[in-house]
Amino acid sequence: GEFTFDMLHKSVEYTKRVDLGGVTQLALKGRCNLGEGQDRWDASFGFCIEPKASNGPMGSSTHVSTTADKGYDIRTEIPVSKLLSAELCGHLVLPLPTAEFTTGTRGGGRLSVGQGNVTAHVAQVNAIINL
């Protein structure tokens, strides 16, 4: 896992990533905000699904990167023969599920789930010659 200390906002966060296979991983997160005084304490727990690079069947490889608009740039290379490969580049926006439960000193809680449209765009199809 990974600990993050934010001195400016007085918080501590722990993240543990679990491989889900394919091009995804699950990130489990727990955060504790420590405010002014001893009576100020807030904690949140949640998870989100994140992309990762992977090698697929028949020697294909996929690279996924997150963009600022919460979508994913995807580049996949598929070998056709020893000398020729096809490369597909595009952008994908998915309403991935995220859940976070928050509790604090003032009570109450929040549970949020991903929402939105699915958008796919193929930007390029390239032929790669391996010399």
Side-chain angles (χ1 to χ4, degrees):
E2 168 184 306
F3 277 102
T4 305
F5 299 98
D6 186 345
M7 300 305 278
L8 179 64
H9 297 102
K10 297 180 182 172
S11 68
V12 177
E13 181 174 286
Y14 177 74
T15 304
K16 175 68 175 172
R17 289 179 174 80
V18 178
D19 186 7
L20 296 178
V23 295
T24 58
Q25 60 188 2
L26 178 69
L28 302 168
K29 297 183 178 190
R31 180 177 53 242
C32 180
N33 298 321
L34 305 170
E36 298 296 325
Q38 293 181 349
D39 61 342
R40 178 87 170 115
W41 179 85
D42 291 316
S44 63
F45 305 93
F47 72 91
C48 62
I49 298 174
E50 300 176 338
K52 66 176 182 130
S54 71
N55 292 322
M58 299 182 299
S60 65
S61 64
T62 303
H63 300 278
V64 180
S65 58
T66 310
T67 62
D69 63 353
K70 297 189 179 183
Y72 300 98
D73 285 332
I74 301 172
R75 183 176 58 86
T76 302
E77 185 177 338
I78 304 165
V80 178
S81 70
K82 221 175 197 184
L83 297 174
L84 184 64
S85 296
E87 180 184 55
L88 295 153
C89 302
H91 186 75
L92 181 65
V93 177
L94 294 172
L96 294 177
T98 58
E100 182 176 6
F101 176 74
T102 305
T103 184
T105 55
R106 296 181 188 145
R110 178 183 71 200
L111 178 65
S112 61
V113 179
Q115 60 183 338
N117 298 323
V118 174
T119 306
H121 170 72
V122 176
Q124 297 177 12
V125 177
N126 301 316
I128 299 173
I129 299 172
N130 301 309
L131 301 176

